[in-house]
Amino acid sequence: MPLEGRKRSARRIYEASLLIVGCVIYALSMVYVNQIEVIPGSMLGLAVTANSLLDTPIGAVNLLLNVPVMILVTKKQGMKVLVYTVIIMAGTSALMDLWAWMTPLFNSEHPVLIAALGGAAMGIGAGMLMASGGTMAGTTALALLAKKRVARLSYGSILFIMDCSIMLLCCLALQSWKAILYSALYSFIVAKVMDLIMWLDGKINMRFFNS
């Protein structure tokens, strides 16, 4: 097999590994952090808030909000991003439901520690999923497009700004002031760890796939 063919095969195996391991870590982090009052960013945060205020179904609203986002991203980034994103959303949703019973096992009386550790785990999982070539839809997809226009900011910084804006809006709507601290800390750590994982992915690509 020619060298380029071997590199393509190795890249596919690498991406598949990132998808599988990333989905597992992402889902576990959500199960872990679910024990404290954290309002998620992205479209999910809006869906959770709508459910609290209007009793609308979270899944349906989240899907409805993500449809135009993914249409836009597919036009800009191609079908591969859409396919990988569908796989990621299906995989993480199934695992979170499957492992929901585990949340009490992680019981802790230190919510700040939970937000920090949960954010670090989420950053690793989400960073791996982004490095595979997909997104988690919502703001992770929009930040991918914004990064091309705002080159001076890192991907994680753009995502943090977007998610914090949504979380602040949701906290104001729900009047859940305690959640702001935990949510902001959680999102900040997620963003920074994601930047680190994606930087490492760039180094791996340069060393093994683009050389």
Side-chain angles (χ1 to χ4, degrees):
M1 182 184 293
L3 179 60
E4 286 302 315
R6 289 199 297 271
K7 285 186 176 181
R8 281 195 298 270
S9 296
R11 176 67 197 179
R12 291 193 191 101
I13 294 172
Y14 175 67
E15 288 180 356
S17 300
L18 289 173
L19 276 173
I20 295 169
V21 178
C23 280
V24 169
I25 297 175
Y26 183 98
L28 282 174
S29 72
M30 286 300 295
V31 171
Y32 175 71
V33 83
N34 196 43
Q35 60 185 298
I36 63 171
E37 192 176 357
V38 170
I39 295 177
S42 197
M43 305 308 169
L44 182 58
L46 296 175
V48 169
T49 302
N51 172 261
S52 298
L53 297 175
L54 306 172
D55 199 30
T56 53
I58 294 175
V61 173
N62 185 48
L63 179 62
L64 186 65
L65 292 172
N66 273 307
V67 167
V69 173
M70 291 316 302
I71 290 174
L72 175 63
V73 172
T74 302
K75 285 183 178 180
K76 298 290 185 180
Q77 299 292 116
M79 281 299 297
K80 178 183 175 181
V81 174
L82 176 63
V83 171
Y84 277 28
T85 298
V86 170
I87 292 172
I88 289 167
M89 293 182 70
T92 53
S93 296
L95 289 174
M96 282 187 283
D97 287 344
L98 181 65
W99 293 335
W101 63 271
M102 296 172 61
T103 296
L105 300 180
F106 298 126
N107 187 43
S108 172
E109 297 179 357
H110 305 285
V112 173
L113 181 63
I114 294 170
L117 293 179
M122 171 61 78
I124 293 171
M128 294 177 75
L129 293 174
M130 291 297 298
S132 74
T135 73
M136 284 69 69
T139 51
T140 61
L142 293 174
L144 195 64
L145 299 181
K147 179 71 178 79
K148 294 185 175 183
R149 294 181 174 272
V150 192
R152 66 181 179 276
L153 291 178
S154 69
Y155 173 85
S157 296
I158 296 171
L159 182 63
F160 178 66
I161 292 169
M162 288 183 173
D163 279 346
C164 275
S165 299
I166 290 174
M167 287 187 297
L168 181 59
L169 178 65
C170 293
C171 287
L172 289 172
L174 295 173
Q175 296 185 357
S176 180
W177 314 118
K178 187 172 71 172
I180 294 178
L181 171 63
Y182 301 147
S183 300
L185 174 63
Y186 173 79
S187 293
F188 177 77
I189 294 176
V190 168
K192 292 305 177 184
V193 175
M194 281 185 71
D195 274 343
L196 175 61
I197 297 299
M198 294 172 74
W199 176 81
L200 289 172
D201 174 67
K203 293 294 184 182
I204 291 171
N205 277 304
M206 288 290 292
R207 176 67 178 83
F208 296 104
F209 303 122
N210 297 332
S211 56

